Amino acid sequence: QVQLVESGGGLVQAGGSLRLSCAASGGTFSSRAMGWFRRGPGKERGFVATINWIGGSTYYSDSVKGRFTISRDNAKNTLYLQMNSLKPEDTAVYYCAAKKGPYSSRTPGDYDYWGQGTQVTVSS
């Protein structure tokens, strides 16, 4: 059983930055691929970024590529999402997720464990 707790969300002006963290406990964080997903107002949950078990491979949605960076520190059992040049359309609840297995995936159904989410609001 893996427990995931996100933090770092908040209110920021357009063009600003935030860094989300996801602290993992209770499982083998270092052997799992991890992902960030988000659910905006009136939208379905969508893929943001994913990283493989060792951090050597990352993938991003087209909407965040070049602005967001996913990373992980296996020694600290923590996943990060650095978000720069934020836009109002980035407003959403952001979720981290742990996948069964070491390889990245964009598919929510491939993830076994989810955090409770952290709200990010970008004002124009």
Side-chain angles (χ1 to χ4, degrees):
Q1 192 82 5
V2 177
Q3 292 81 44
L4 303 172
V5 179
E6 302 96 334
S7 61
L11 174 63
V12 63
Q13 289 189 331
S17 298
L18 282 174
R19 188 194 198 201
L20 304 184
S21 298
C22 173
S25 61
T28 53
F29 175 81
S30 61
S31 67
R32 296 175 176 268
M34 299 292 295
W36 286 101
F37 295 81
R38 67 186 181 185
R39 186 192 303 272
K43 299 180 181 178
E44 294 187 354
R45 183 175 55 189
F47 167 74
V48 175
T50 182
I51 188 168
N52 72 350
W53 64 287
I54 203 170
S57 177
T58 58
Y59 298 95
Y60 300 91
S61 68
D62 288 342
S63 62
V64 308
K65 195 176 299 181
R67 299 188 297 122
F68 290 12
T69 302
I70 188 172
S71 62
R72 65 191 297 162
D73 186 335
N74 285 347
K76 296 182 178 180
N77 285 353
T78 303
L79 177 73
Y80 303 100
L81 185 68
Q82 178 66 44
M83 305 187 294
N84 298 329
S85 302
L86 282 161
K87 305 175 181 180
E89 50 264 43
D90 294 318
T91 294
V93 177
Y94 284 72
Y95 301 89
C96 71
K99 181 178 174 291
K100 181 184 291 185
Y103 304 113
S104 306
S105 171
R106 302 169 182 258
T107 306
D110 288 341
Y111 291 80
D112 298 286
Y113 299 101
W114 294 81
Q116 82 290 346
T118 185
Q119 176 70 47
V120 171
T121 302
V122 184
S123 62
S124 57

